[in-house]
Amino acid sequence: MVIQRRLIRWASACRELPIDAAVLTLNGVRAVAACCIALVVALTAAGCAHPTPAPPHRQATLTATAVSAVCSSAQLVHCVPGLADIEPDLFDLVSVRGGPDPDFAVLSPSSARDSAPPECQNIPAMGAAKAPEIDAEYRPAAAASGTRFPANGGEYFHVRFMVAENSDDLATQMNMWANQCRMWSTAPSLDDNGVHGWMIAESADKLTSYESGDSAQWPFITHVAATKLPNGVIAQAFYRTTDPSATSRNHVFSAVLGAVGRPRTRAALPPSLADWDAAQISTLLPPLDDGVTIDASAGEPGGRWLLCPDADRGSPLYDLQASWSHPSQGAALPPSVRIARAGAGVDYLSELRREIATCTAHLVDKPALCSGRDIDQVLDSDSAVADGVDTVRVSQRWLRVQNVQGYDRCVEGAGAFRIAQLRGLIVISSAEADVVKGTIGNPTLPLSTLDELAAQTVHAINTA
C-alpha cells in the first residue's frame, strides 16, 4: 500500500509536466526522464531499503515497590522507631545492625565482667531463645549536649527487638538473672506504663555514689529498660550516661520504648514541608532495614554537589537534611539516598544538565598527575520520570586530583546517580567508589536499585 501511494503521487506529478500529446520537446523529455528516475528511486527506497522510522523518544518510568511497615514478631525491623517518632533533639542517627550481635549488650569493661561467667557478662536477653532478634543504636544529638540527654562521651543508646517468651514477665526474668549473677549490684529504677527499668552496677558502692550525684561513676553503671508489646514483641534498651538524674534517664527510656511500633502519623507533623526539621525530613527516606543507617545531622550547610571536579566553587545550591545508606549487596556498590533543601530560586536539574554538557566536552582532558592512568573518562546521562517527576540519571567514570593526607593524589572513581527536585527538596540516590592506589576496575553499579530508591523517595515526598 505504501508503494501504491507513492506511485500515485509520482504519476500525478508527471501528468502536470508541460508535454504536448503529439510532440515531446527537449524540456519535456528531460522532465519525463527526471520523473522516471525519481519514480525508480522511490520504488527502490520503498521496496528494497525498507527504512525504519526512528521511534519517538520515551523517558523511562521509575517505579517503587510498596513496603509493608507493620511491627510484628515476624517483622521486627518495622518496630524500630525512626528519628521523628521519638521526642525531638534526642538523637540524630539511627542504625540497624541486625542481630544477634554477641557484643551488642555487653556490660561495661571491668574486673567484675572479666571474672564473671559468660552468661553474666552481657545484659540478660529477655526474648525467646533461638528466636529472631534485631539490634539498633541511636546517636545522641549534638544539640542536646548539656540538656536532657548529654553527649555521654560518645556512648550510643541501644535497643534490641526480640520475640517474647510465652511465660515469665520482664521483672521475673531480670530477678532470675540478678540472682544468678550476684557479682553485679542491681536495683529497679523504673516502672511506668509498661516500661520497666533497672540499674546494673559494678558494685553497690559505685551504685550508691552514682545515685548521690557522683557522675564520675557513669562508665560503671548500665541503665536497662524493657517493654512488651501486645503483638508479642519485646524491646529492651540500655545505655550509659554522665547524667545521674533519674528523671532524665526515665524520660529517655519512656520516649524511646513508648515509640516502638508506633510511627507518628502525618497529622502529627507540620502541615508544610518547609517547616519540617531534619528528623521529620528523614521520614521521607526509604525505611530502615538490616544494615541501614539514617542520619539526620544537618552537618555543614551550603552543599554544592555536582559532577565536574571544579564545580565545587560558587554559591551553595542546597542544605543537606537527611541521608539513608545501606551496606554493599554482593558485588554491587552500596546505595545511598540524600534529601536536601534547595536554595532559594535554585533549579538544580538545570544546573546539572548544563554541567553535564560542560563535563562531556572535556572527558578527554586528563589531569597531568593522572597521565599514567589507563582509564577513559565516561559520562552517560538520560532523563526519566519518577512518580511523575523529571529525574536526571548519570553514570560516570572519572579521574581527579584530590588532597589525600596532605598530598595531591590522582584518584579514580566510578558512580551512578539519580537526581530529582520537587516541593523545595532535592533527592539524590547514588552509589559510588574511588581509589587512590591501584585501579577502580569495573565495579557493579546497582542501577535498578537506585531507580527504585529514587522513585520511592519521590513518591514519599509527593504524598507527604
Side-chain angles (χ1 to χ4, degrees), residues 279-447:
Q280 292 163 344
I281 291 290
S282 74
T283 64
L284 303 172
L285 291 163
L288 286 164
D289 202 350
D290 188 2
V292 164
T293 295
I294 291 180
D295 188 346
S297 57
E300 291 296 325
R304 191 181 169 79
W305 176 85
L306 289 171
L307 298 170
C308 293
D310 295 329
D312 291 333
R313 294 190 291 269
S315 60
L317 297 176
Y318 61 72
D319 287 334
L320 180 63
Q321 299 294 301
S323 64
W324 176 102
S325 60
H326 195 282
S328 179
Q329 299 172 317
L333 295 178
S336 67
V337 182
R338 287 168 281 173
I339 298 179
R341 200 177 292 283
V346 169
D347 184 342
Y348 194 48
L349 267 59
S350 294
E351 293 271 358
L352 280 174
R353 287 184 170 115
R354 281 193 292 270
E355 192 194 356
I356 287 170
T358 301
C359 292
T360 303
H362 294 281
L363 290 176
V364 295
D365 301 337
K366 287 186 179 181
L369 198 57
C370 301
S371 58
R373 297 291 183 105
D374 185 17
I375 178 177
D376 292 327
Q377 299 191 95
V378 176
L379 178 57
D380 296 325
S381 64
D382 67 2
S383 295
V385 176
D387 203 57
V389 176
D390 185 22
T391 302
V392 173
R393 302 194 299 181
V394 177
S395 294
Q396 188 179 20
R397 292 175 64 87
W398 44 262
L399 291 167
R400 295 177 186 168
V401 174
Q402 294 181 356
N403 188 278
V404 180
Q405 296 180 341
Y407 298 92
D408 285 344
R409 308 274 185 152
C410 178
V411 180
E412 282 186 28
F417 315 91
R418 277 82 178 108
I419 308 101
Q421 181 172 348
L422 69 159
R423 300 185 66 184
L425 299 175
I426 295 169
V427 176
I428 303 172
S429 71
S430 62
E432 52 187 323
D434 57 61
V435 295
V436 178
K437 296 181 179 180
T439 179
I440 193 68
N442 190 27
T444 302
L445 300 173
L447 302 181

Side-chain angles (χ1 to χ4, degrees), residues 73 79 97 112 122-123 127 141 178 187 223 228 248 263 299 327 377 399 405 442:
S73 58
C79 303
R97 299 177 55 183
N122 286 31
I123 294 166
H223 304 277
K228 181 187 293 186
S248 170
Q377 299 191 95
L399 291 167
Q405 296 180 341
N442 190 27

Side-chain angles (χ1 to χ4, degrees), residues 7 39 63 65 156 170 188 222 257 286 318 334:
L7 285 170
L39 181 59
T63 57
T65 304
Y156 278 47
L170 301 178
T222 301
L257 296 182
Y318 61 72

Side-chain angles (χ1 to χ4, degrees), residues 76-347:
L76 291 175
V77 71
H78 297 313
C79 303
V80 182
L83 296 173
D85 300 328
I86 305 169
E87 180 177 322
D89 298 329
L90 286 182
F91 310 105
D92 61 16
L93 178 147
V94 56
S95 181
V96 177
R97 299 177 55 183
D101 180 350
D103 296 326
F104 179 77
V106 67
L107 288 165
S108 56
S110 66
S111 57
R113 190 192 73 181
D114 294 341
S115 61
E119 62 271 19
C120 297
Q121 293 184 1
N122 286 31
I123 294 166
M126 296 181 170
K130 298 182 180 179
E133 296 179 359
I134 287 289
D135 296 333
E137 58 183 10
Y138 294 82
R139 183 177 66 194
S145 179
T147 58
R148 182 178 291 117
F149 188 43
N152 302 329
E155 288 279 333
Y156 278 47
F157 186 96
H158 308 271
V159 190
R160 172 166 283 174
F161 302 85
M162 301 165 284
V163 178
E165 289 274 16
N166 294 326
S167 60
D168 294 337
D169 60 23
L170 301 178
T172 299
Q173 291 186 62
M174 175 55 79
N175 288 336
M176 291 174 60
W177 180 87
N179 288 331
Q180 183 181 9
C181 304
R182 293 182 176 274
M183 68 288 304
W184 301 104
S185 179
T186 62
S189 60
L190 174 63
D191 185 359
D192 179 43
N193 197 26
V195 177
H196 303 272
W198 304 266
M199 288 186 289
I200 303 176
E202 184 177 336
S203 67
D205 289 342
K206 290 184 180 298
L207 179 58
T208 300
S209 179
Y210 181 78
E211 287 184 299
S212 65
D214 183 6
S215 59
Q217 304 301 323
W218 76 269
F220 310 106
I221 315 295
T222 301
H223 304 277
V224 183
T227 189
K228 181 187 293 186
L229 304 185
N231 61 6
V233 173
I234 288 178
Q236 183 178 1
F238 78 94
Y239 79 120
R240 288 176 278 271
T241 176
T242 56
D243 186 354
S245 164
T247 301
S248 170
R249 297 191 309 272
N250 294 346
H251 178 87
V252 173
F253 277 129
S254 297
V256 177
L257 296 182
V260 172
R262 300 173 183 172
R264 290 195 177 181
T265 63
R266 175 64 179 85
L269 301 175
S272 173
L273 286 182
D275 297 326
W276 285 24
D277 60 26
Q280 292 163 344
I281 291 290
S282 74
T283 64
L284 303 172
L285 291 163
L288 286 164
D289 202 350
D290 188 2
V292 164
T293 295
I294 291 180
D295 188 346
S297 57
E300 291 296 325
R304 191 181 169 79
W305 176 85
L306 289 171
L307 298 170
C308 293
D310 295 329
D312 291 333
R313 294 190 291 269
S315 60
L317 297 176
Y318 61 72
D319 287 334
L320 180 63
Q321 299 294 301
S323 64
W324 176 102
S325 60
H326 195 282
S328 179
Q329 299 172 317
L333 295 178
S336 67
V337 182
R338 287 168 281 173
I339 298 179
R341 200 177 292 283
V346 169
D347 184 342

